[in-house]
Amino acid sequence: TNSGVAFNSYGGTFTFVSGDVDAGASTGSFVVAKRDAGTWTRPTIGTRAATSTQATGMTSFSESQVGEPAPTQVVFTTQPPNSTAGVAFTPQPVVTIRDANGFTVTTGVDATATITLTLQSGTGTLSGTTSMAAVAGVADFSGKGLSINLTGSKTLRVTKADTTAGGGTPAATVDSATFTISNGPATQVVFTTQ
């Protein structure tokens, strides 16, 4: 209990012994997670050091964990939309790298992993910039000009590159929701048989 002490928020420094840190873990990427009423949240991270991680803005005392978030999934946070053949998607897809609790992985080697989009189902060619490095766990393809040249029902597949050589996690993939590419409006009539 708070023993009658009133507060709006507090900060804390979580210290640990270097021998307790897993081999290959980067203490510079550590985060703090708090569990309140069965839900995990992440307070704001302050200073990180070799044997401590600071968190601020906490409003309750509860179970806490300190460690390096391990990416377990990639998700389309903006799905590819229905579009017109040969016309850039509006909006362009956004992909996020997340840990098991659904938090965006913002630090560590996986936070900058290469994200690649491919046409998973349907015919045609996916054009534009189809591969990019994530920034703080997010690959925003805005301005990358992604489009598909043929009509029909499609899905895209996103792949997060394998980062195990740098201390990260294996490759991960997920498919988008189904979307439709349609013909554009008629702009001309032609004699196909003269």
Side-chain angles (χ1 to χ4, degrees), residues 7 9-16 30-34 43-49 51-62 64-66:
F7 62 91
S9 68
Y10 70 97
T13 300
F14 297 82
T15 59
F16 41 88
F30 278 12
V31 297
V32 175
K34 287 181 75 280
T44 301
I45 296 300
T47 303
R48 294 181 177 106
T51 57
S52 65
T53 299
Q54 185 184 56
T56 61
M58 295 178 285
T59 58
S60 65
F61 294 105
S62 60
S64 299
Q65 294 182 348
V66 179

Side-chain angles (χ1 to χ4, degrees), residues 59-163:
T59 58
S60 65
F61 294 105
S62 60
E63 177 184 356
S64 299
Q65 294 182 348
V66 179
E68 192 171 28
T72 60
Q73 56 188 320
V74 287
V75 297
F76 280 94
T77 43
T78 300
Q79 292 280 346
N82 294 334
S83 190
T84 302
V87 176
F89 302 152
T90 303
Q92 295 278 295
V94 178
V95 175
T96 303
I97 303 165
R98 292 183 174 167
D99 67 13
N101 292 314
F103 293 110
T104 301
V105 175
T106 58
T107 60
V109 66
D110 285 292
T112 57
T114 299
I115 301 295
T116 302
L117 295 172
T118 55
L119 183 60
Q120 174 61 14
S121 68
T123 57
T125 300
L126 176 63
S127 298
T129 302
T130 59
S131 188
M132 66 176 293
V135 177
V138 177
D140 185 344
F141 284 85
S142 296
K144 304 299 184 186
L146 296 173
S147 67
I148 298 175
N149 63 329
L150 298 180
T151 62
S153 180
K154 322 284 182 189
T155 59
L156 297 183
R157 171 165 288 179
V158 62
T159 302
K160 180 201 76 71
D162 183 326
T163 56

